[in-house]
Amino acid sequence: MPSYLHFTSMTLGDKSARSLSRIGIMGGTFDPIHFGHLRMAQELATVLDLAEVRFIPSATPPHRDQPITSARQRAEMVTLAIADNPVFKLDTRELEREGYSYTIDTLQSLHEELQGQARLYLLMGLDAFVGIASWHRWQELLQLTHIVVATRPGATLPAGNPILDEFLQTHQVSSLQQLHAQAQNGIYMHGITALDISATHIRHQLHTGQSPRYQLPQCVLAYIEQYSLYR
C-alpha cells in the first residue's frame, strides 16, 4: 500500500472531515489565464467555502501540445491576474519539477506538505472530466482529493462511456453537505456561470491582430502586449 494512503486514512480518523481547512486546486497551462478560469475558481471557492484556491500552472502537460509561452511568463501572468484576490494563490511546484506534470504527483506532494491539516478539492471543467480516464494513475485521484466538476447550463456528459459512468455511479455525491462531511473523497457536479472564453481563441485573436479585451484581465493583456506574446 502506498504510504500516502495510510496517511490519509489515519489523519481523517484523528480529525473530522468537517473541521479540516479546504483547499481548491486549479491546474492548467494558463496560456494565457483568462476570466473563464478566474470566474470558475471564484464561484467554486464561494460555494465550497474554500480557504484558498491554488493555481498550479503545468510545465509539461502530458495530454496536449507544449505551451507557447515559457513557464516563467505563464506564472507571471497568473500572479498578475490573482493579485487582488486574497483567496487565490500561485503554486509553482509543477514548474519546478522535471518530467511530465502529472496531477497525481502534484496531489501527493501537496498531501506531504499539508500534513493532514487540509482537504483537497480538485477543480475542473466538464471537458477535462470527460477525459479523466486517460490521466496518469487516474484511479488513485480520489484517494487524495475530492473532484469538483464545474458544469455550464445545458452541458451534459457524453453517452456511451461505461468507464466514466461507473466512476460516477460509484463516487458521485448529490450534496455539498455530504461532500464535506464524509471521510471518503467523492465527485461533485456544480453549475457555474457560462463564460464562452478559451485560451485557444484568445491566442488566435492576438496572432491575427484582433483584440481579446474583456476576455482576460487588463493587467494580463498589458503584459502580453509588453512582451509581444502570441504574435
Side-chain angles (χ1 to χ4, degrees), residues 156-172:
T156 58
L157 287 167
N161 190 331
I163 296 177
L164 194 63
D165 291 343
E166 181 181 359
F167 192 44
L168 273 173
Q169 290 171 8
T170 305
H171 301 289
Q172 187 173 8

Side-chain angles (χ1 to χ4, degrees), residues 68-85:
I68 293 175
T69 50
S70 69
R72 177 186 60 80
Q73 289 170 328
R74 290 183 288 114
E76 288 178 351
M77 286 190 282
V78 171
T79 298
L80 290 169
I82 67 176
D84 63 350
N85 191 326

Side-chain angles (χ1 to χ4, degrees), residues 15-150:
K15 194 170 184 179
S16 74
R18 286 184 181 276
S19 65
L20 291 173
S21 177
R22 301 167 189 158
I23 296 179
I25 305 302
M26 188 93 166
T29 55
F30 303 117
D31 193 27
I33 190 169
H34 54 69
F35 284 134
H37 299 127
L38 297 167
R39 186 59 206 170
M40 171 181 160
Q42 182 60 59
E43 290 193 25
L44 293 180
T46 299
V47 74
L48 295 167
D49 192 21
L50 300 178
E52 62 183 61
V53 176
R54 296 197 185 190
F55 287 77
I56 306 182
S58 173
T60 310
H63 295 107
R64 57 181 298 170
D65 293 336
Q66 279 295 103
I68 293 175
T69 50
S70 69
R72 177 186 60 80
Q73 289 170 328
R74 290 183 288 114
E76 288 178 351
M77 286 190 282
V78 171
T79 298
L80 290 169
I82 67 176
D84 63 350
N85 191 326
V87 175
F88 292 171
K89 312 292 181 184
L90 172 67
D91 189 318
T92 59
R93 73 186 62 226
E94 289 191 0
L95 303 182
E96 297 160 3
R97 192 170 67 222
E98 295 183 356
Y100 282 123
S101 301
Y102 291 125
T103 299
I104 191 70
D105 294 335
T106 298
L107 294 171
Q108 187 170 350
S109 172
L110 283 163
H111 260 268
E112 293 168 355
E113 173 188 300
L114 294 168
Q115 293 292 302
Q117 299 305 305
R119 293 199 79 175
L120 301 179
Y121 292 70
L122 180 61
L123 314 179
M124 67 176 70
L126 185 64
D127 53 346
F129 181 70
V130 168
I132 200 169
S134 66
W135 291 22
H136 180 59
R137 293 165 54 198
W138 68 278
Q139 299 95 332
E140 300 174 34
L141 293 172
L142 287 177
Q143 296 166 354
L144 298 167
T145 181
H146 287 306
I147 295 176
V148 180
V149 183

